[in-house]
Amino acid sequence: MGTLPKWADVVLVPLVSLALAAIISALVILSIGEDPLATLQVMVDGAIGSAYGWGYTLYYATSFIFTGLAVTVAFHAGLFNIGGEGQAQLGGLGVALVCLALPWPHWSVALLAASVGAAAFGALWAAIPAYLQAKRGSHIVITTIMFNYIASAFIVYMLVDVLRPAGQMDPATARFSEGTTLPTLNEIPGLNLIFTKAVPANVTIFVAIAACVAVWALLWRTRLGYQIRAFGKSGSAAKYAGINPTKIIMITMIISGALAGLMAINNVMGESGRLVQNSASGAGFIGIAVALMGRNHPVGVLLAAILFGFLFQGGAELGLWTHIPIELRIVVQGLVILFTGALDQMVRMMLVFVFSIGKQRAA
Amino acid sequence: MTTCQTTPARPRRSKHMSGNTEPGRQFAAAPASPPLAIELRGISKAFGSVQANKDISIQVARGTIHGIIGENGAGKSTLMSILYGFYKADSGEILIGGKAVTIPDSQAAIAAGIGMVFQHFKLVQNFTVLENVILGAEEGRLLTPSLDKARRVLGELSREYELDVDPDALIEDLSVGHQQRVEILKALYRQADILILDEPTGVLTPAEADHLFRILRGLKAQGKTIMLITHKLREIMEITDRVSVMRRGEMVATVETDATSPEDLAELMVGRKVLLHVEKKPSNPGAVVLEVENLRVRDDDKIERLKGVSLTIRAGEILGIAGVAGNGQSELLEALGGIARATGVVRMNGVELDLTGRHSDGQSRRAQGIAHVPEDRQSRGLIMDFTAWENVAFGYHNAPEYQKNALFMDNDAIKADTVRKMERFDVRPPIPTLAAKSFSGGNQQKIVVAREMERNPDLLLVGQPTRGVDIGAIEFIHKQIVALRDAGKAILLVSVELDEIMSLSDRIAVMFDGQIMGMRDPATTNERELGLLMAGVADAVKGAA
């Protein structure tokens, strides 16, 4: 009663949700006098129709994997980390400080050091709300949201007053040195046969995939992951088992913040080569939708991140090739988030109903 | 009887009332062939593939007390929910007073003269008795006339049925027994002719239960019909006229109470012979395992719940803690199990335990040889969404045999261990990958008991070991507890079931209001004496044993 077969829950629910989002999006596009099919064509061609398009889609997806994993890890401890945006911006600061500190000899060394910097700053930024939650009971949703704003203001201060080279007019750091430039996919032997034009997707994508594996192993193969999941499912039972709630909240949020912070090696180090304002550009929030749609499982996060990468890149293409305003991409993204995230239970109930009718017929 | 406005929602009320004034007296004159109050014919109800009620027919004579017993999941609650309009039966007929009725919702049930007293009361804690009684039965826009009328009616009902409750008292100030009377008053105020009580004595002291039974007998004498749902055979034997036994969704028998015995009823419930009494040898206590001195626990609101408890338990004995729920037993278990902070002195095998610091958690307690079967398996003992094997490791997730190396747990080893434990404790179905929530209450409890007992602890804390557990599993769990005792372990047993305490314990401590009222030997005490202690009557005669 009221349950779906597992395959339907994992495959059918997201697909039906997406289809509903697509139908409403089509109606919106129709209502502004454009052709939905042609619009879809532009998005598909632009985002996944060529290796060049894939290069952008995967670049966005890489960022979303990190922020999606950040939300996922926290979710398993029953914590809703909405602060991915701020943690990713602080991660950017960590990357910038590491990259500017030394004349790095080789990108691989720089990548290692910058990853540590990104993770440490992201973790620190998540640790403060975690402490407030664990010790003072301040709700983590509220504090992480507020910390997004503080991060934003803090970065502006750092860029304007501390890190801006003398004489530069825009609030940004200096360019990172040559030795920190990460190879993009078109520069990697073998992959350069596929990616012939310069694309922003870079080696960070492999770090992201490794992070998916690591998160999976952490949650389902280690004692820490076991305790995180136990605490997330039942705080009262965790207390009975002698699982220390303060410790779990702190460690989980530090891991979550570190993952969000790691996103910065993709955009700050891999793409722009310097730290600018608002560097995370919404990826922290997209991570919430990615985690919801990905059922808080690394594999799901990976797939959902690629879908949102597609929407991001396809939406940008719309602005280039059609008269459709770029804001429409936000509408479409919003609808996807609405249906896959917020209305997911509605879709599930509809499917449960359909399945129960099917069963009655069969009986 | 007073009249009340007929609202469209309750079309049958006025008609009902007019027929309600006399029958009680008519009956007293002619009890020989009582007409039927309720008749169910061929009621069936399925949830998905589960047949909760299968072709159930039952006749309840007016002016009788009719018991319904059965194990958890036998379909009692479903049947009552159909009668009270919560569920719609897939097929079958309901006849009230000889007329076929449909009961689409609880309003219709009330209109048909059915009142329900739930196991968990549905009262507004910060309303007065009077306000609770009229809640949902207010007449007109202004409250005062309704309250005045209710006060009058309540006065009459109280006098008539020994239901004395102060109409102006706040519910939160009332004892559980009084709260239950408010629920009964609510039903009577709504002109109920038929009262259904769901496990009414679960939260009462023996004295309160006796009072309830007096009330029920009074109601019966006035011609009311009572259906009593319970799993306590003793209550069935004491108060009912007839009893219907349910098993796996079917009505297996309806018998005259006088013509049956507890043993026969248990056999009907379970479908096989059951041993109702625990067989155990006299205890052979050894060295002192647990010493508790002046243990005090405050709750989150800083209210003292455990007020200076001292006790000792020796190896090879079972100390039973009797008491009405909520008198500090839970806090005692939680303080010893490392869940609640406490003050006082606790020594385990002579070593003093940390009661407030870093080593006062569940992990430290397990390391010191204390295992704990918690009172609430669903919120403490198990993680309902976890699989059986994940739950078998719960609390022992740091055990070396469950680790593959410094980094990873050995999930295969835990699964293999789960298979072994499931076999030894007869957990059904024996599928380690099934979620805990998919097991029946009895099998969930067996998973917890298996996990805690197989650690071979020096001290086992057991809270409500058989709550919501079917009779077959109760027998099994009791045997395991006695076997652990015979293996020379100390056991602290907390239960609100007096029968369980009396049959398992080697010594009995009775708790009331956070204190131990007295220690008794189960061989020489009786339920009356324990009941007085449970109600807080000071233990002046015997002193602590």
Side-chain angles (χ1 to χ4, degrees):
Chain A
M1 175 87 174
T3 52
L4 283 176
K6 199 167 180 198
W7 67 268
D9 196 56
V10 173
V11 180
L12 219 49
V13 172
L15 284 184
V16 172
S17 303
L18 271 183
L20 287 172
I23 290 167
I24 309 262
S25 302
L27 292 176
V28 173
I29 293 167
L30 264 181
S31 72
I32 59 171
E34 297 283 340
D35 178 358
L37 282 178
T39 308
L40 183 65
Q41 186 74 37
V42 171
M43 286 181 74
V44 169
D45 281 350
I48 53 174
S50 64
Y52 179 74
W54 271 105
Y56 276 87
T57 299
L58 291 180
Y59 164 70
Y60 292 123
T62 303
S63 291
F64 300 155
I65 290 171
F66 283 117
T67 53
L69 289 178
V71 176
T72 294
V73 169
F75 177 87
H76 280 284
L79 300 166
F80 204 7
N81 178 11
I82 311 221
E85 188 77 6
Q87 290 144 21
Q89 287 197 42
L90 260 287
L93 182 63
V95 167
L97 292 177
V98 168
C99 287
L100 294 168
L102 292 173
W104 293 96
H106 189 264
W107 65 265
S108 56
V109 189
L111 175 63
L112 218 61
S115 298
V116 173
F121 273 65
L124 173 76
W125 207 244
I128 305 166
Y131 181 82
L132 293 172
Q133 167 81 64
K135 288 289 183 192
R136 317 287 317 165
S138 319
H139 204 290
I140 202 128
V141 168
I142 311 292
T143 44
T144 49
I145 287 178
M146 294 198 296
F147 264 65
N148 285 335
Y149 291 98
I150 301 172
S152 202
F154 178 60
I155 294 288
V156 169
Y157 163 75
M158 288 299 285
L159 292 180
V160 172
D161 291 331
V162 182
L163 294 171
R164 181 172 53 95
Q168 183 179 300
M169 290 186 42
D170 58 337
T173 65
R175 290 214 160 270
F176 304 158
S177 64
E178 279 294 307
T180 66
T181 312
L182 298 177
T184 52
L185 294 187
N186 53 301
E187 289 166 356
I188 298 171
L191 285 176
N192 60 3
L193 301 176
I194 304 166
F195 296 96
T196 48
K197 284 192 256 181
V199 292
N202 56 69
V203 289
T204 314
I205 192 168
F206 302 112
V207 181
I209 291 167
C212 286
V213 178
V215 165
W216 172 81
L218 166 76
L219 288 174
W220 284 284
R221 285 295 179 272
T222 69
R223 246 184 302 167
L224 175 62
Y226 178 89
Q227 294 178 66
I228 288 174
R229 290 186 297 119
F231 176 72
K233 291 281 186 204
S234 171
S236 57
K239 199 165 180 194
Y240 155 78
I243 294 171
N244 183 340
T246 307
K247 200 170 125 192
I248 293 297
I249 291 173
M250 290 302 297
I251 293 179
T252 306
M253 281 304 285
I254 281 171
I255 294 171
S256 175
L259 283 164
L262 274 174
M263 178 204 130
I265 58 174
N266 185 46
N267 61 339
V268 177
M269 192 176 179
E271 202 262 336
S272 53
R274 59 181 190 148
L275 181 63
V276 297
Q277 272 190 70
N278 194 22
S279 63
S281 51
F285 295 115
I286 302 276
I288 299 166
V290 166
L292 281 173
M293 191 175 175
R295 290 277 181 284
N296 290 296
H297 191 284
V299 174
V301 165
L302 181 72
L303 296 174
I306 293 171
L307 171 77
F308 276 87
F310 159 78
L311 286 174
F312 239 68
Q313 171 56 13
E317 291 285 318
L318 285 183
L320 279 177
W321 303 109
T322 66
H323 297 294
I324 298 174
I326 188 138
E327 284 73 21
L328 191 81
R329 138 181 134 174
I330 297 168
V331 172
V332 174
Q333 281 165 12
L335 285 166
V336 170
I337 294 173
L338 187 69
F339 278 96
T340 59
L343 297 182
D344 165 286
Q345 201 56 38
M346 179 190 83
V347 172
R348 187 167 295 123
M349 277 161 60
M350 280 166 28
L351 286 174
V352 166
F353 182 67
V354 171
F355 269 75
S356 70
I357 288 178
K359 247 182 225 161
Q360 276 175 14
R361 288 259 169 85
Chain B
M1 279 266 176
T2 49
T3 50
C4 59
Q5 266 178 298
T6 307
T7 59
R10 304 176 201 128
R12 257 178 253 128
R13 166 162 286 202
S14 55
K15 184 175 82 185
H16 193 80
M17 281 186 27
S18 58
N20 187 28
T21 37
E22 288 305 316
R25 262 140 237 160
Q26 286 174 358
F27 236 171
S33 61
L36 295 181
I38 301 176
E39 183 175 6
L40 302 178
R41 289 183 188 160
I43 298 278
S44 289
K45 173 78 187 170
F47 297 105
S49 59
V50 180
Q51 192 76 34
N53 283 167
K54 238 177 287 179
D55 190 27
I56 292 198
S57 297
I58 181 174
Q59 297 182 335
V60 179
R62 188 173 286 176
T64 63
I65 299 181
H66 196 114
I68 296 191
I69 57 167
E71 300 199 88
N72 292 290
K76 295 171 299 196
S77 300
T78 306
L79 190 64
M80 292 309 123
S81 297
I82 289 169
L83 201 48
Y84 203 61
F86 286 165
Y87 296 135
K88 191 180 171 302
D90 298 336
S91 60
E93 269 186 300
I94 302 173
L95 286 83
I96 306 280
K99 272 193 252 40
V101 293
T102 54
I103 303 178
D105 54 31
S106 55
Q107 288 291 332
I110 292 166
I114 299 172
M116 184 110 172
V117 176
F118 292 94
Q119 196 175 1
H120 302 284
F121 307 145
K122 312 213 176 284
L123 297 169
V124 183
Q125 288 292 315
N126 55 353
F127 272 21
T128 63
V129 169
L130 212 52
E131 286 168 333
N132 267 287
V133 166
I134 63 160
L135 187 65
E138 311 90 342
E139 292 147 25
R141 284 179 192 284
L142 292 173
L143 212 51
T144 322
S146 307
L147 285 170
D148 287 346
K149 190 197 123 191
R151 188 183 298 277
R152 212 170 51 242
V153 176
L154 238 53
E156 290 164 16
L157 289 172
S158 297
R159 270 193 301 283
E160 208 167 348
Y161 300 116
E162 214 187 323
L163 277 162
D164 50 318
V165 185
D166 174 9
D168 296 312
L170 289 176
I171 296 299
E172 57 196 8
D173 297 335
L174 294 181
S175 72
V176 178
H178 278 87
Q179 291 188 22
Q180 191 174 52
R181 283 177 223 165
V182 177
E183 284 285 12
I184 295 173
L185 279 172
K186 266 167 70 178
L188 295 177
Y189 184 74
R190 285 161 177 73
Q191 325 279 341
D193 249 357
I194 301 160
L195 262 183
I196 304 173
L197 295 103
D198 189 6
E199 299 282 358
T201 59
V203 288
L204 303 182
T205 63
E208 283 176 321
D210 284 345
H211 191 153
L212 172 69
F213 289 166
R214 276 206 304 280
I215 293 170
L216 295 184
R217 288 197 189 96
L219 288 165
K220 175 180 140 182
Q222 295 293 321
K224 305 276 185 194
T225 309
I226 291 154
M227 289 178 84
L228 182 71
I229 304 165
T230 180
H231 68 276
K232 294 184 185 170
L233 294 166
R234 205 162 34 88
E235 286 169 8
I236 292 283
M237 298 309 294
E238 184 179 340
I239 192 162
T240 63
D241 300 308
R242 306 185 84 199
V243 51
S244 297
V245 185
M246 289 186 76
R247 182 169 81 227
R248 291 195 197 132
E250 288 180 86
M251 194 63 84
V252 289
T254 296
V255 291
E256 298 291 332
T257 309
D258 291 342
T260 188
S261 68
E263 285 75 17
D264 290 346
L265 288 176
E267 193 178 335
L268 284 168
M269 279 164 77
V270 184
R272 63 176 169 84
K273 280 255 181 246
V274 188
L275 220 56
L276 285 178
H277 294 283
V278 184
E279 285 191 343
K280 64 177 173 93
K281 299 189 292 269
S283 70
N284 183 20
V288 171
V289 173
L290 182 80
E291 281 177 275
V292 176
E293 284 170 25
N294 196 24
L295 193 69
R296 292 170 188 272
V297 174
R298 288 178 186 277
D299 67 9
D300 292 340
D301 298 325
K302 306 279 177 233
I303 296 165
E304 199 165 67
R305 294 289 176 194
L306 202 58
K307 301 172 178 171
V309 163
S310 302
L311 51 85
T312 57
I313 310 180
R314 291 172 176 276
E317 72 166 352
I318 300 174
L319 175 65
I321 307 271
V324 180
N327 278 290
Q329 308 98 309
S330 307
E331 285 77 8
L332 176 63
L333 282 179
E334 293 190 348
L336 295 176
I339 299 170
R341 300 268 163 109
T343 59
V345 178
V346 176
R347 272 185 293 273
M348 178 72 195
N349 291 326
V351 181
E352 195 173 333
L353 298 185
D354 183 2
L355 296 177
T356 49
R358 281 190 56 210
H359 297 290
S360 67
D361 67 338
Q363 285 296 307
S364 309
R365 293 288 193 269
R366 285 172 178 82
Q368 283 145 341
I370 302 176
H372 183 185
V373 176
E375 289 184 301
D376 188 340
R377 62 176 165 272
Q378 302 208 342
S379 82
R380 289 239 191 254
L382 293 167
I383 294 193
M384 301 305 279
D385 287 335
F386 270 17
T387 60
W389 69 265
E390 284 174 308
N391 274 301
V392 161
F394 193 53
Y396 301 98
H397 46 274
N398 291 321
E401 67 269 26
Y402 290 159
Q403 317 303 321
K404 196 175 274 174
N405 48 44
L407 204 56
F408 294 115
M409 290 178 91
D410 193 344
N411 292 353
D412 292 332
I414 305 172
K415 279 176 203 164
D417 192 31
T418 306
V419 171
R420 276 196 299 276
K421 288 190 163 79
M422 286 180 139
E423 196 185 303
R424 212 166 310 162
F425 279 78
D426 192 29
V427 177
R428 286 180 229 177
I431 305 171
T433 49
L434 205 62
K437 63 185 172 198
S438 309
F439 289 89
S440 72
N443 283 299
Q444 288 173 1
Q445 189 71 345
K446 282 185 187 173
I447 293 174
V448 179
V449 170
R451 181 183 71 204
E452 300 303 321
M453 283 194 177
E454 295 268 291
R455 289 280 148 185
N456 209 15
D458 290 341
L459 170 67
L460 180 70
L461 310 170
V462 203
Q464 320 298 348
T466 53
R467 178 185 278 170
V469 169
D470 42 84
I471 290 192
I474 289 177
E475 191 186 4
F476 182 86
I477 290 170
H478 282 172
K479 270 187 193 160
Q480 296 298 321
I481 292 175
V482 172
L484 196 71
R485 179 203 75 163
D486 291 343
K489 307 300 181 182
I491 291 161
L492 177 67
L493 168 73
V494 168
S495 175
V496 292
E497 303 282 351
L498 209 46
D499 290 346
E500 183 164 53
I501 292 285
M502 292 189 64
S503 58
L504 278 179
S505 309
D506 299 313
R507 282 189 298 142
I508 299 174
V510 184
M511 281 188 74
F512 172 76
D513 193 27
Q515 288 171 312
I516 291 184
M517 299 301 292
M519 289 274 187
R520 290 289 181 273
D521 180 346
T524 58
T525 188
N526 56 44
E527 295 209 357
R528 213 188 82 78
E529 187 185 25
L530 293 177
L532 283 173
L533 291 172
M534 284 164 73
V537 177
D539 187 20
V541 193
K542 288 194 178 177

